[in-house]
Amino acid sequence: MLNDVNDEYTGLRKKLYEIIEGPVVSGIIQLLILASAVAFVLETEFTEYKESIFDPIDWTFLAIFTVEYLLRIYTAPDRKAFIFSFFGIVDLLAILPALVLIPGFQILRVLRFLRIFRIFKATRFVLAVDRMIEALAEVKRELLALVILCSLFVYLAACGIYVFEKDVQPDKFGSIPDAMWWAIVSLTTIGYGDVYPMTPGGKIFTALVALVGVGLIAIPSGLLASVLTEARVEEKLQDEENGEEDEK
Amino acid sequence: MKNSKKYFLRFIAVIFFLGVFLFFSACGLYLFERAEQSKMIESIPDAFVYVFLTMFTVGYSDVSSISIGGKYLSMIVAIIGHLIGLACMIGIILSTFRLGKVLRRIKAKTNI
């Protein structure tokens, strides 16, 4: 019964499918995607070589990826399912902007590198990551609450500094969104130093906000870290119950 | 699959995500700054340095003329950097140090 569906699916197509989905071709394609990412980055640095070196390289990559996409459609057991699957759409997005030749959309070439996520189709990656994702999903609510709390704090800090600084530095603290930039940069401890308070009141306020806020903003990180540790302990206990002896 | 191998792969996966995120943010930032004709970020490698310094909250002020879009992007990068970059990496590494102790404590409790 099952064979009815696949009865045309034999011979050349099947062989090609196995080759394309096999580890060798997949590995080569991943390398090519990486190489094309490197070329894309370097192109913006060495603009003088754009036409002599980078454009031909780009066309070559495009040709390879187009051929690969067509082959994947040709060999897929269920063509419709492949075209509308996540990776099918990503593959199409990767070649579409260049194929339709809209000059302004050249930057959309960046979509090509979404294909690098294909690497996660490898089963060992899936096995390694899925418990981690499960653990992260467990703390969704706590995380959301913390994010709301942090946003509120950022908002209050921005409003506060706006009151103190708007008269002295109207160009930098002229509006609350501008002040929010200062708040985020300070509270994540980045501190670019392009915007800083100058009035005594603003300085004292900054000190207070930094003391409370840096800890507050770090709580989500701590939560994630602890949940990952918990997940690992649980896994280890489970493994020992199953009598698996590994990791000494 | 061996546990140690699993954790190594997990670590690789996080670094991989960070790398891809870094790449896309750098491209986005370059796009914003190019539109503003900024002199500070003229190529994607420049944007890489900026995004990297933002993500790991170093924040040297050598690049400071950032467009509005770039500013919002840096906020997102800073927050994601905090969450993925610090939390996940610290969580995975930290669990290696704490695992033995926590397990021993749990076992001691359950045996009594």
Side-chain angles (χ1 to χ4, degrees):
Chain A
M1 268 173 69
L2 277 172
N3 288 340
D4 288 346
V5 188
N6 290 340
D7 75 355
E8 286 172 38
Y9 188 61
T10 44
L12 185 65
R13 262 179 76 192
K14 197 169 183 194
K15 257 182 207 155
L16 268 175
Y17 179 74
E18 274 157 13
I19 292 173
I20 285 182
E21 293 288 329
V24 180
V25 174
S26 297
I28 292 172
I29 294 286
Q30 294 293 341
L31 281 181
L32 283 178
I33 295 170
L34 275 183
S36 113
V38 170
F40 179 76
V41 166
L42 289 180
E43 187 185 312
T44 62
E45 180 73 47
F46 303 102
T47 36
E48 65 269 31
Y49 298 112
K50 186 176 184 299
E51 279 174 11
S52 59
I53 299 176
F54 290 111
D55 277 353
I57 290 180
D58 191 49
W59 284 109
T60 318
F61 282 127
L62 181 66
I64 294 172
F65 292 148
T66 311
V67 169
E68 189 219 344
Y69 179 65
L70 293 177
L71 269 178
R72 271 184 204 278
I73 290 183
Y74 173 67
T75 60
D78 184 349
R79 283 175 186 158
K80 219 173 203 170
F82 168 73
I83 291 173
F84 292 106
S85 70
F86 174 71
F87 287 111
I89 290 172
V90 165
D91 282 1
L92 184 64
L93 280 181
I95 54 176
L96 205 59
L99 280 185
V100 292
L101 283 175
I102 307 168
F105 286 86
Q106 270 291 307
I107 193 75
L108 284 180
R109 275 191 296 169
V110 74
L111 287 175
R112 197 179 290 172
F113 313 116
L114 282 176
R115 305 185 64 222
I116 203 84
F117 283 109
R118 218 173 241 290
I119 211 168
F120 279 97
K121 281 179 105 180
T123 40
R124 50 208 177 111
F125 260 117
V126 174
L127 280 177
V129 177
D130 71 343
R131 184 65 188 88
M132 185 170 140
I133 291 171
E134 212 175 281
L136 294 182
E138 258 171 44
V139 287
K140 231 172 14 193
R141 277 178 187 212
E142 289 93 324
L143 213 55
L144 186 68
L146 282 170
V147 167
I148 291 173
L149 196 65
C150 290
S151 321
L152 203 65
F153 192 79
V154 166
Y155 174 76
L156 289 178
C159 292
I161 201 77
Y162 171 73
V163 171
F164 283 112
E165 297 288 330
K166 67 172 188 255
D167 297 328
V168 185
Q169 302 184 71
D171 54 328
K172 285 177 175 162
F173 291 96
S175 67
I176 290 185
D178 281 351
M180 235 168 231
W181 166 247
W182 165 87
I184 296 247
V185 166
S186 301
L187 292 179
T188 52
T189 72
I190 294 176
Y192 293 124
D194 57 341
V195 188
Y196 47 86
M198 280 164 118
T199 58
K203 283 181 182 170
I204 293 170
F205 181 74
T206 303
L208 290 177
V209 161
L211 273 178
V212 182
V214 169
L216 187 68
I217 300 284
I219 293 175
S221 307
L223 179 71
L224 286 186
S226 79
V227 119
L228 288 174
T229 312
E230 269 171 41
R232 187 160 180 182
V233 170
E234 273 169 24
E235 264 176 322
K236 183 79 182 169
L237 282 174
Q238 234 166 34
D239 282 354
E240 277 177 12
E241 271 171 28
N242 297 340
E244 279 177 31
E245 291 275 322
D246 48 24
E247 213 178 353
K248 206 180 129 201
Chain B
M1 182 155 48
K2 278 206 166 176
N3 259 332
S4 49
K5 198 182 161 196
K6 194 148 96 185
Y7 295 112
F8 180 69
L9 276 179
R10 211 170 265 191
F11 193 62
I12 297 282
V14 170
I15 290 180
F16 177 84
F17 261 112
L18 271 185
V20 174
F21 183 72
L22 198 75
F23 178 82
F24 279 105
S25 331
C27 291
L29 196 77
Y30 168 71
L31 194 66
F32 284 127
E33 290 298 302
R34 200 178 57 162
E36 296 269 312
Q37 308 266 312
S38 156
K39 287 264 159 28
M40 303 300 266
I41 296 176
E42 287 187 317
S43 65
I44 294 182
D46 286 350
F48 257 114
V49 174
Y50 175 80
V51 171
F52 192 85
L53 292 179
T54 301
M55 191 180 264
F56 293 98
T57 71
V58 179
Y60 298 132
S61 55
D62 52 346
V63 179
S64 58
S65 72
I66 292 292
S67 59
I68 295 293
K71 278 188 176 173
Y72 283 108
L73 190 66
S74 342
M75 288 186 193
I76 295 169
V77 167
I79 290 163
I80 301 269
H82 242 269
L83 287 180
I84 306 182
L86 301 176
C88 290
M89 282 216 276
I90 290 173
I92 293 169
I93 298 172
L94 197 71
S95 63
T96 316
F97 297 120
R98 301 288 300 161
L99 183 65
K101 227 172 206 174
V102 175
L103 273 179
R104 230 173 297 142
R105 224 174 272 163
I106 291 175
K107 274 179 199 159
K109 267 192 189 154
T110 47
N111 282 348
I112 291 167

